[in-house]
Amino acid sequence: MLRAENITWEQGGKTILKGISLHLKQGEWAGLAGPNGAGKSSLLKILAFLEQPTGGRLFFQGELIEGRMPLALRRHLAVVFQDSLLLNTSVYENVAVGLKIRSLPKAVIKERVETWLERFGVLQLLKQPARSLSGGEAQRVNLARAFALEPDVLFLDEPFSALDAPTKAHLLQDLADASKESGVSALMVSHDFRELARLTQRTLIIKDGTTIAELPSAKLLSDYSRAAAADKNTVRHNVFDIEGFQNLHEVFSPIWEEF
């Protein structure tokens, strides 16, 4: 579905990404994790064709993409950021806008908008001004807007980081259900190993702009939990230095200064 080979990216004379390769298969959900400044969001933007790499090659659906991605292919992608970035109009119009740009029939637009608002539990808000919503409601609308496009690949850049724990838990379940129903492939950036274990099959760990490990997301969570229970200070200072990631687990705890 999506393949990156030896991706590098330089900005302002600084190398942000160095030789990263990734293959996202059809229907697969993969995670990106690592400390702040590791290059996770930069890599996601390049893979979503929002930025062009300095070096390396990008393939989408088997086709080498050089330069700017053609609009016809770009419409197979959707991005959900941490901030919902809703327009100053109704909830309905926010979800419908991308479909209208694609010139879909009004009946199709109405069906998709209402279907995905209902699946994310905010159909009753469709006439509300989008900017009057709570943070959790706004992110539900944001996700409904992305899924309504029926993308082949969905990119999520820390979509739950601004939400409280109960809201996050409910939204995680709804997103997990939506992923199964839609069959979409996805790449998600997160600091939270629990989110990654809940939604993704495998996680790439990035540090200083390069991939230092790749392993099943469930194993990442379980290994780190054991290490955290055994010695939190050791984990705190050596989370990215344990050979083979045999001692990792749970969540990037907020007590870790490097995160």
Side-chain angles (χ1 to χ4, degrees):
M1 179 63 69
L2 176 67
R3 189 167 84 252
E5 295 180 352
N6 199 32
I7 296 298
T8 61
W9 191 46
E10 299 176 357
Q11 283 285 93
K14 181 180 178 181
T15 300
I16 309 298
L17 299 172
K18 296 173 284 189
I20 292 183
S21 296
L22 168 71
H23 184 196
L24 184 68
K25 301 174 183 177
Q26 185 170 357
E28 180 186 26
W29 282 54
L32 293 176
N36 289 330
K40 304 181 300 296
S41 293
S42 297
L43 177 59
L44 181 139
K45 290 177 182 177
I46 287 175
L47 295 174
F49 298 92
L50 298 176
E51 297 280 359
Q52 294 185 33
T54 305
R57 302 195 300 173
L58 289 170
F59 297 83
F60 181 68
Q61 296 180 338
E63 179 179 344
L64 175 63
I65 307 297
E66 297 181 296
R68 295 184 62 84
M69 189 182 207
L71 180 60
L73 291 179
R74 184 177 295 277
R75 287 180 172 176
H76 290 267
L77 312 177
V79 184
V80 173
F81 293 104
Q82 176 181 339
D83 297 322
S84 57
L85 303 177
L86 298 181
L87 304 174
N88 190 23
T89 184
S90 70
V91 166
Y92 181 95
E93 290 300 324
N94 266 274
V95 180
V97 63
L99 306 175
K100 290 182 176 181
I101 290 172
R102 288 160 171 77
S103 301
L104 294 180
K106 289 183 179 180
V108 174
I109 293 174
K110 182 176 185 295
E111 188 273 334
R112 287 204 202 174
V113 170
E114 292 181 354
T115 293
W116 285 105
L117 285 175
E118 182 176 18
R119 288 181 181 176
F120 281 103
V122 285
L123 179 60
Q124 73 279 7
L125 303 176
L126 84 169
K127 294 182 180 179
Q128 293 276 4
R131 293 186 178 176
S132 71
L133 304 179
S134 69
E137 291 169 341
Q139 199 62 305
R140 287 179 177 276
V141 172
N142 194 16
L143 287 163
R145 178 171 59 184
F147 276 90
L149 298 173
E150 296 185 353
D152 291 326
V153 182
L154 176 64
F155 298 90
L156 303 113
D157 193 358
E158 300 194 59
F160 309 116
S161 60
L163 305 180
D164 59 69
T167 300
K168 181 190 295 187
H170 286 102
L171 193 48
L172 274 168
Q173 181 59 56
D174 289 343
L175 183 54
D177 292 341
S179 71
K180 294 176 183 177
E181 293 173 19
S182 67
V184 66
S185 304
L187 186 70
M188 185 173 82
V189 172
S190 178
H191 280 90
D192 191 325
F193 287 5
R194 290 170 295 190
E195 293 176 7
L196 295 170
R198 181 72 181 83
L199 293 172
T200 70
Q201 287 82 54
R202 61 187 171 99
T203 295
L204 280 74
I205 308 294
I206 297 176
K207 185 181 181 185
D208 297 330
T210 190
T211 303
I212 62 171
E214 177 182 342
L215 68 166
S217 301
K219 179 173 174 55
L220 180 64
L221 177 59
S222 62
D223 286 355
Y224 179 71
S225 293
R226 285 195 299 272
D231 188 344
K232 291 181 180 178
N233 289 326
T234 297
V235 172
R236 174 182 173 184
H237 293 294
N238 298 294
V239 62
F240 289 109
D241 297 320
I242 302 171
E243 184 177 358
F245 276 72
Q246 297 303 306
N247 298 315
L248 285 182
H249 206 82
E250 197 157 315
V251 163
F252 286 175
S253 169
I255 67 170
W256 297 346
E257 295 174 358
E258 60 264 47
F259 282 82

